[in-house]
């Protein structure tokens, strides 16, 4: 129906390749975009244990501050954690390995961010209003350096805008 009204020439025989002046798409749920998926995995750090898979994805995520300078050590840290064979790890275990300054998988920037994250998370009350939780979630993400690992593409920026709008 839109074609009939907006590009009536598309109805003529032999007319195949026209650029439509509109775009209809369902898009993905926000959680399926990598930048938002990383935010959700970060909130998983608040649990007692996190899956090795989730931690690995976070360590390799370009959406965490310091990724550009610690990309290789973070990948090595992921490999080190996998060598242990544990499927679920505590934040304490992650912090321990990241703090090993004599190892190639030492990640001092990540460790600093995790410290800020933990300190802020501990200060969150057990109960609060939805508006306050929204502010706290934003503060937690800022403390750990979410969406600050490298420059964002236009799509990533728009995805973050949509996330913040929700």
């Amino acid at each position: 129906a839109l074609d009939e009204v907006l590009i009536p020439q598309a109805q003529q025989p032999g007319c195949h390749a026209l650029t439509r002046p509109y775009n209809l798409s369902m898009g993905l749920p926000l959680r399926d975009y990598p930048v938002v998926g990383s935010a959700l995995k970060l909130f998983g750090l608040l649990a007692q244990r996190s899956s090795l898979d989730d931690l690995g994805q976070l360590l390799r995520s370009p959406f965490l501050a310091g990724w550009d300078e610690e990309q290789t050590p973070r990948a090595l840290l992921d490999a080190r954690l996998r060598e242990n064979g544990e499927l679920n790890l505590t934040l304490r275990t992650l912090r321990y390995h990241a703090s090993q300054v004599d190892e190639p998988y030492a990640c001092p920037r990540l460790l600093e961010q995790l410290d800020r994250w933990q300190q802020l998370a501990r200060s969150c009350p057990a109960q609060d209003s939805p508006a306050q939780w929204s502010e706290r979630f934003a503060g937690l993400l800022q403390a750990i350096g979410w969406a600050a690992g490298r420059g964002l593409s236009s799509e990533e920026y728009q995805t973050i805008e949509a996330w913040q709008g929700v």
Side-chain angles (χ1 to χ4, degrees):
L2 287 173
D3 284 351
E4 286 177 25
V5 173
L6 298 174
I7 47 173
Q9 63 270 30
Q11 304 303 310
Q12 298 174 0
C15 185
H16 298 289
L18 284 178
T19 304
R20 290 184 165 104
Y22 59 89
N23 180 10
L24 297 177
S25 66
M26 294 298 290
L28 297 171
L30 275 177
R31 72 176 179 272
D32 291 343
Y33 287 91
V35 68
V36 173
S38 68
L40 295 173
K41 283 181 182 22
L42 285 168
F43 290 124
L45 293 176
L46 298 173
Q48 291 288 340
R49 295 173 123 4
S50 297
S51 76
L52 179 60
D53 194 40
D54 284 351
L55 286 177
Q57 288 179 32
L58 286 172
L59 288 171
R60 296 185 312 273
S61 174
F63 302 114
L64 291 181
W67 174 82
D68 52 348
E69 62 197 59
E70 288 185 347
Q71 182 178 1
T72 300
R74 289 181 187 187
L76 292 171
L77 178 56
D78 178 30
R80 175 67 183 110
L81 294 173
R82 290 177 189 283
E83 287 174 1
N84 288 346
E86 291 181 60
L87 297 179
N88 295 295
L89 300 165
T90 64
L91 191 55
R92 183 177 179 177
T93 301
L94 174 63
R95 290 183 74 263
Y96 170 78
H97 288 289
S99 70
Q100 301 302 303
V101 294
D102 294 333
E103 297 293 343
Y105 51 81
C107 299
R109 177 96 186 262
L110 177 66
L111 190 60
E112 179 184 310
Q113 290 162 219
L114 288 171
D115 287 344
R116 278 195 315 267
W117 168 267
Q118 270 190 308
Q119 185 177 20
L120 189 57
R122 284 188 195 120
S123 72
C124 291
Q127 294 181 340
D128 220 333
S129 72
Q132 286 299 109
W133 276 115
S134 177
E135 288 181 26
R136 293 186 198 293
F137 290 152
L140 283 165
L141 290 174
Q142 184 178 11
I144 203 159
W146 176 70
R150 61 162 170 75
L152 298 171
S153 71
S154 174
E155 181 182 9
E156 291 164 345
Y157 180 81
Q158 291 175 37
T159 302
I160 290 171
E161 290 288 311
W163 162 263
Q164 291 171 341
V166 171

